[in-house]
Amino acid sequence: MPEKVPPLSSPPAKAPSLSPWGPIKRPVFRMLWSVWLTANICMWMNDVAAAWMMTSMTSTPIWVALVQSASTLPVFLLGLPSGALADILDRRRYFIMTQFWVAGVATLLCIAVMAGVMTPPLLLALTFANGIGLAMRWPVFSAIVPELVPRSQLPAALALNGIAMNASRIVGPLLAGALIASAGTEYVFVLNAVLSVVCGFVIMRWRRDHVPSPLGRERLFSAMRVGLQFVGQSSRLRAVLLQIALFFLHSTALLALLPLLARRLHGGDAGTFTLLLAAMGSGAIVAAMFLPRLRQMMERDALVLRSVMLQSVSTAAMALAPNAWIAVPAMLLNGMAWITCANSLSVSAQLALPDWVRARGMSMYQMAIMGASALGAALWGQVATVTDVPTALLAAAVSGTVTMLLAHRWARDQSIEEDLTPSREFKAPVAHAPPGVGRMVVTIDYLIDPARSADFLKLMRMSRRSRLRQGALEWELLRDVHQPGRFIEQIVDESWTEHLRRFDRVTASDVALRERKLAFHLGDEPPRVTRCVVEDLVRT
């Protein structure tokens, strides 16, 4: 009997490319990345035109620095509501809306300049309004990116976003400078409006299936509370937020005072300002090409520390630079340091967030950036007003390195990376008559060996963080005074619906934690679970 030939197996799926340009091969990512590049070009055109316009109306450093504050402060103030909306609404429609908001603000800026009514306070107000568009746009795009690429390509995708930001830092100022010199500042805002409208129509080509939750939309304030709780209970995210805030608090000094630095250089003018921004963007693009290799060579914390030190050195060099021959290389190094630090921390933040809270978490990441940038611009602008520009930059350089070293030592994340893969292991309960109103109180009875109480309590601290990150309103652990080995875990949810939402937020890490808790439980039966609704006796 002839030997049977085994059927040919299907070829293994091709692994995603780990090249820095791998995500660009994906059509949807390429389309939305192009939108992101164009949107950032518009942002830089607006900021350059506004900053240069302010220097033409006043030479006071604090007014010039406040342009940077006005463009970044809205993200700090509105980041969390915007992130919550991006998590509970259709992200595609929300992204489109942000583009048309920016277009409308650019139109108002153009009208104000053409009508000759522009003043420093009005310019700051309209710059603030433009920043509102940025506050709405950034969290939703950050949440979309992990949908477009596999996890292995996420660092490259985020690096490409950084390239888009820094390429726009070159193209935007060049376009703005050319238009200001040839036609006038108002035409910068005209082009900004046109490009923003085009971006909105391009996003409309994206076909994304928005699957509404069967539990309905989360309420805005409840969603914001849950987002804050998640970040508050994540030591990894807290460490990242502290580091990124410290970095931008000090690094923003150079950008905020750059128009004045450009004027101080020998022969400095608008072209010099544009050249310095282009040099910084070029440095960032070059560094982004080497980020995959750098991540293999050293750990994230080492990469962050070294990039901060390089940024401080380049800032000090800019403070002392007499001409563009020294200033341009310093800005190149600054751009390299900027993209290395920002990308490293951004990847850490993304990997610490599950999808259901991603926009809220990244909005707080951006709030840390923009809040620190707004505060830093005002702080170092005031220092420059009281002393001078070189002194302010030298102080920012020294302080930036010292504070990051302290943060690395005292606030370093020591936790083990968790598996945030969604899991359906926990089955949602079914109630015969689901309560319409009232808080839910859930209790879980554990019976353990009293000799193992100390280890059990350590595990329950982790359980507390897990429950609160999922959205629980309160958490307590009760010990039976008559039965030392009996513990009751009590979780309070805002409502029956919010209780059910927690089952949609369970991760593989939560499942593993439950198994560790069950290993302490004595007896053949699992821990007893009860669910009760709090009756409102005042109203009844």
Side-chain angles (χ1 to χ4, degrees):
M1 185 174 181
E3 182 181 359
K4 291 184 179 180
V5 178
L8 294 174
S9 60
S10 58
K14 187 176 180 181
S17 171
L18 298 182
S19 161
W21 300 102
I24 288 292
K25 298 177 182 179
R26 299 176 177 272
V28 177
F29 178 86
R30 184 169 60 246
M31 178 181 71
L32 295 182
W33 183 82
S34 301
V35 168
W36 184 243
L37 172 63
T38 306
N40 281 295
I41 289 174
C42 293
M43 180 188 72
W44 277 104
M45 288 170 55
N46 184 87
D47 287 355
V48 168
W52 196 254
M53 181 179 292
M54 186 64 80
T55 62
S56 67
M57 291 187 289
T58 177
S59 60
T60 305
I62 187 62
W63 277 105
V64 178
L66 282 175
V67 173
Q68 180 78 7
S69 295
S71 66
T72 56
L73 187 59
V75 181
F76 178 73
L77 297 176
L78 303 175
L80 183 56
S82 176
L85 289 172
D87 273 331
I88 63 181
L89 299 177
D90 184 338
R91 289 174 179 172
R92 172 180 172 273
R93 293 183 179 180
Y94 191 60
F95 196 14
I96 293 170
M97 183 269 292
T98 66
Q99 293 304 123
F100 290 113
W101 173 280
V102 172
V105 174
T107 302
L108 291 176
L109 274 164
C110 179
I111 293 173
V113 174
M114 288 183 170
V117 298
M118 185 62 73
T119 62
L122 179 58
L123 179 59
L124 289 180
L126 290 173
T127 302
F128 184 88
N130 188 71
I132 292 176
L134 177 63
M136 295 186 294
R137 181 176 65 202
W138 202 93
V140 66
F141 186 75
S142 297
I144 287 170
V145 171
E147 297 181 15
L148 308 178
V149 298
R151 183 184 178 91
S152 60
Q153 286 189 335
L154 183 58
L158 296 177
L160 285 170
N161 291 347
I163 289 177
M165 173 67 77
N166 286 281
S168 67
R169 184 174 288 165
I170 300 172
V171 177
L174 286 174
L175 281 175
L179 284 172
I180 291 171
S182 61
T185 307
E186 62 271 19
Y187 288 97
V188 176
F189 303 125
V190 170
L191 181 58
N192 191 353
V194 172
L195 290 176
S196 296
V197 171
V198 171
C199 284
F201 283 110
V202 171
I203 300 172
M204 292 173 67
R205 295 179 54 202
W206 176 31
R207 293 294 176 259
R208 176 182 184 270
D209 293 329
H210 174 66
V211 182
S213 170
L215 300 174
R217 291 177 180 172
E218 290 183 72
R219 293 179 300 165
L220 178 60
F221 288 105
S222 178
M224 291 167 59
R225 174 188 64 79
V226 173
L228 285 169
Q229 279 186 199
F230 187 95
V231 173
Q233 297 300 323
S234 172
S235 59
R236 187 174 301 277
L237 273 177
R238 291 200 309 270
V240 169
L241 292 181
L242 175 62
Q243 289 176 315
I244 199 67
L246 288 174
F247 177 69
F248 274 87
L249 176 68
H250 296 90
S251 64
T252 196
L254 182 57
L255 281 177
L257 299 172
L258 196 59
L260 298 175
L261 275 176
R263 288 186 181 275
R264 287 172 55 89
L265 296 176
H266 179 69
D269 55 13
T272 307
F273 178 50
T274 302
L275 176 63
L276 295 177
L277 284 174
M280 184 176 183
S282 299
I285 292 174
V286 171
M289 297 296 97
F290 294 94
L291 279 177
R293 182 174 299 177
L294 288 174
R295 281 192 289 266
Q296 293 175 353
M297 292 171 57
M298 63 187 78
E299 294 182 352
R300 189 214 73 174
D301 288 332
L303 200 57
V304 169
L305 276 178
R306 293 180 185 183
S307 61
V308 167
M309 291 177 183
L310 179 60
Q311 195 276 334
S312 295
V313 169
S314 60
T315 298
M318 282 298 299
L320 304 174
N323 52 52
W325 292 105
I326 295 177
V328 168
M331 291 299 290
L332 278 168
L333 292 176
N334 198 280
M336 292 178 180
W338 185 91
I339 190 66
T340 302
C341 184
N343 178 261
S344 300
L345 293 175
S346 179
V347 170
S348 294
Q350 287 277 16
L351 294 180
L353 288 164
D355 187 65
W356 66 268
V357 75
R358 190 177 303 279
R360 279 166 279 188
M362 293 309 294
S363 73
M364 281 178 268
Y365 177 85
Q366 187 69 0
M367 285 170 64
I369 291 177
M370 293 306 186
S373 297
L375 177 61
L379 171 63
W380 303 116
Q382 185 60 32
V383 172
T385 301
V386 174
T387 57
D388 54 36
V389 172
T391 300
L393 290 179
L394 289 172
V398 174
S399 178
T401 297
V402 171
T403 55
M404 189 63 77
L405 286 170
L406 292 174
H408 177 73
R409 180 174 181 179
W410 299 110
R412 186 177 180 180
D413 174 36
Q414 302 289 347
S415 62
I416 300 173
E417 186 170 347
E418 297 176 291
D419 184 355
L420 299 179
T421 305
S423 173
R424 294 292 178 182
E425 184 70 20
F426 293 2
K427 303 302 179 183
V430 178
H432 297 293
V437 294
R439 291 183 299 167
M440 291 297 304
V441 178
V442 182
T443 60
I444 306 174
D445 277 69
Y446 297 92
L447 186 62
I448 71 165
D449 181 355
R452 304 180 66 192
S453 294
D455 293 333
F456 183 71
L457 290 177
K458 291 180 182 178
L459 194 62
M460 295 309 289
R461 292 189 188 98
M462 297 175 61
S463 184
R464 175 183 183 273
R465 289 194 294 270
S466 173
R467 306 291 191 188
L468 293 177
R469 281 190 303 185
Q470 291 169 355
L473 202 59
E474 299 173 12
W475 184 97
E476 288 181 318
L477 183 65
L478 312 178
R479 185 201 293 262
D480 192 327
V481 296
H482 298 293
Q483 193 175 0
R486 181 171 178 249
F487 289 85
I488 302 173
E489 184 180 14
Q490 179 174 286
I491 309 117
V492 179
D493 288 307
E494 193 174 347
S495 65
W496 174 253
T497 301
E498 295 306 312
H499 174 62
L500 295 179
R501 289 192 200 281
R502 286 203 291 112
F503 289 85
D504 293 334
R505 298 165 180 171
V506 173
T507 65
S509 179
D510 295 320
V511 175
L513 178 60
R514 183 186 67 170
E515 296 304 317
R516 293 174 63 188
K517 289 187 290 185
L518 290 178
F520 279 86
H521 183 67
L522 302 177
D524 297 329
E525 295 296 323
R528 181 169 176 266
V529 180
T530 61
R531 294 178 174 87
C532 303
V533 62
V534 177
E535 292 287 354
D536 189 348
L537 298 180
V538 175
R539 294 186 179 181
T540 57

